[in-house]
Amino acid sequence: LSRTRRSSSTMESIKCKAMVAFGVNDLREEEVIVAPPKAGEVRMKVMCNALCHTDIYTLSGQDPEGLFPSILGHEAGCVVEAVGEGVTSVKVGDHVVPGYTPQCKGSDCMFCMSPKTNLCPKIRGTQGKGVMPDGTSRFTLAKDGSTVYHFMGCSTFAEYTVLAEISIAKIDPAASLEKACLFGCGISTGLGAVWNNAKVEPFSSVAVFGLGAVGFAVVQAAKAVGASHIVGIDVNPNKFEMAKKLGCDVCYNPKDHGDEPMQQVLVKNSPTGFGFDYTFDCTGNVNVMRSALEAAHRGWGQCCLVGVAAAGKEIATRPFQFITGRRCFGTAFGGWKTRDAIPMLTDKMMKGEIAVDHFITHRFNGVGETTKAIDALHSGDCLRAVVHYC
């Protein structure tokens, strides 16, 4: 790797390794050139990256905003290598976690100023187009100079990356980056869905559809607030042992119930016989979303949609489900305001208040082993595969 002088007037480009997605399921290790950060931007050395299903979702071609060629990845632990003009919240050497949901904190941003949402739109327009806020990319292929797009404002399948300052959360340098990177997406989303969006109450009943990393985080969060009856639903029974350790009282495999809709199975087995106080879909499957809604308690049940559906998919149900008191809503990054929340969650982890070790089931070394991490994620027994770059 070429060296970089960190003075804002003399910063150089860096050549490094990256996994570049050239098309659907076409991921290759390449050398890329990472340009210096411009005003309001930060260049970081990626120390480790956790694979998330959202990366696979985009690589599979299901993401309506998916662009190729691009550098995927968004759950990472990084060290600041250089900062652009005007950057004040981080400095060279700081340990950080990228956030795909920015937080500009501007007094003129109604979203950042509101306690009701975390959906800051400051750079949404350019982020969705795979470029930095000025409309250009910081990545090019070393072999021919062609442009490579950014992904979710993060692009951490590379040894170096560039982010907008408002998308970076500074964390305690004593924290394990391998563990802290988990707060960049999935685990935070599951915790926040319970604590921020649904605001699950003590002694509630909870049903969680999809027992992956996000679903387990939902179970963990529900248990932490004192939910009295938690059930997990998944077609992979190998997930049930861990689910019960984290707080599930009962687990159901839809395959064991033939053609009977899962919502009917759950309602008749719910504590009251009228459904669950809170239900969470962590699958992204619109049919499962319907099951989650219709398993919510008559009169007051709330259904939170956490999983992201494929492009063009629509959810269907009968309006009567809403007339009889059920509510349905969604969450993005668990409602957390990124730059405030990730340091706080990391601190709680360090104090032993949030356990995350069980989420890391696989480890790999080197950017090139990202493909092995993807295979592990597809295996069915992987929650998070962390690839160490250094």
Side-chain angles (χ1 to χ4, degrees):
L1 302 179
S2 55
R3 296 289 182 183
T4 296
R5 296 190 297 270
R6 297 185 179 97
S7 166
S8 60
S9 61
T10 59
M11 284 190 292
E12 302 169 351
S13 295
I14 288 178
K15 181 189 289 186
C16 70
K17 295 176 182 178
M19 297 302 294
V20 179
F22 286 94
V24 174
N25 297 323
D26 182 6
L27 190 66
R28 303 177 226 161
E29 183 177 339
E30 296 280 351
E31 284 193 329
V32 297
I33 304 298
V34 185
K38 294 187 179 181
E41 299 175 0
V42 177
R43 186 164 62 188
M44 305 176 300
K45 183 176 180 61
V46 182
M47 307 302 289
C48 56
N49 184 87
L51 268 290
C52 174
H53 280 283
T54 305
D55 301 314
I56 312 307
Y57 164 77
T58 300
L59 184 62
S60 71
Q62 298 181 75
D63 185 351
E65 287 190 349
L67 294 170
F68 302 113
S70 62
I71 297 174
L72 305 177
H74 62 288
E75 276 192 13
C78 308
V79 176
V80 174
E81 180 270 339
V83 298
E85 180 183 352
V87 171
T88 59
S89 63
V90 296
K91 63 183 184 302
V92 172
D94 282 345
H95 288 205
V96 296
V97 172
Y100 69 90
T101 301
Q103 182 188 1
C104 75
K105 300 189 179 185
S107 59
D108 60 341
C109 178
M110 70 176 77
F111 294 88
C112 282
M113 291 297 101
S114 172
K116 297 179 180 179
T117 185
N118 63 333
L119 299 178
C120 173
K122 185 76 171 182
I123 58 174
R124 182 68 185 88
T126 51
Q127 182 170 311
K129 295 176 182 177
V131 291
M132 296 299 289
D134 72 344
T136 63
S137 173
R138 300 293 166 269
F139 299 116
T140 53
L141 285 176
K143 62 186 179 184
D144 61 14
S146 60
T147 297
V148 178
Y149 291 106
H150 294 251
F151 172 69
M152 293 179 71
C154 296
S155 292
T156 55
F157 280 11
E159 292 173 323
Y160 286 86
T161 188
V162 178
L163 272 75
E165 178 185 14
I166 64 174
S167 298
I168 298 169
K170 179 181 174 180
I171 64 169
D172 188 332
S176 162
L177 285 174
E178 178 187 71
K179 297 177 185 178
C181 76
L182 302 180
F183 292 123
C185 182
I187 309 310
S188 297
T189 299
L191 299 175
V194 174
W195 296 340
N196 300 329
N197 301 110
K199 295 181 171 64
V200 171
E201 299 169 320
F203 311 111
S204 301
S205 58
V206 174
V208 183
F209 292 76
L211 298 175
V214 177
F216 280 156
V218 170
V219 171
Q220 197 168 327
K223 186 68 174 179
V225 298
S228 59
H229 189 70
I230 306 172
V231 303
I233 303 96
D234 202 287
V235 294
N236 182 356
N238 293 331
K239 302 286 186 70
F240 295 169
E241 181 180 356
M242 177 60 74
K244 291 178 179 178
K245 286 181 180 178
L246 293 175
C248 277
D249 297 286
V250 183
C251 292
Y252 295 94
N253 184 345
K255 294 180 179 179
D256 294 338
H257 298 275
D259 295 330
E260 185 176 11
M262 204 60 220
Q263 54 266 48
Q264 292 182 15
V265 173
L266 292 170
V267 169
K268 72 182 181 183
N269 286 287
S270 63
T272 65
F274 287 97
F276 287 78
D277 299 322
Y278 300 93
T279 64
F280 296 85
D281 167 68
C282 304
T283 71
N285 182 307
V286 294
N287 296 317
V288 178
M289 292 178 187
R290 177 172 188 166
S291 294
L293 170 63
E294 296 181 1
H297 204 288
R298 178 184 176 89
W300 61 73
Q302 297 187 44
C303 171
C304 181
L305 304 182
V306 187
V308 178
K313 294 292 184 179
E314 297 180 350
I315 185 171
T317 191
R318 294 182 300 122
F320 189 70
Q321 297 293 333
F322 299 105
I323 299 298
T324 49
R326 296 167 188 83
R327 293 172 54 207
C328 186
F329 54 94
T331 181
F333 193 53
W336 297 111
K337 292 183 184 290
T338 300
R339 295 163 74 195
D340 293 336
I342 291 178
M344 177 271 293
L345 293 169
T346 300
D347 289 345
K348 285 183 175 292
M349 174 195 72
M350 295 177 71
K351 294 175 183 176
E353 297 173 13
I354 299 176
V356 301
D357 297 60
H358 53 280
F359 288 108
I360 303 174
T361 55
H362 296 70
R363 292 176 175 85
F364 300 93
N365 292 297
V367 172
E369 294 208 343
T370 298
T371 52
K372 293 183 180 179
I374 291 173
D375 290 340
L377 205 60
H378 282 309
S379 70
D381 62 352
C382 174
L383 295 179
R384 277 296 184 268
V386 177
V387 183
H388 289 264
Y389 296 169
C390 298

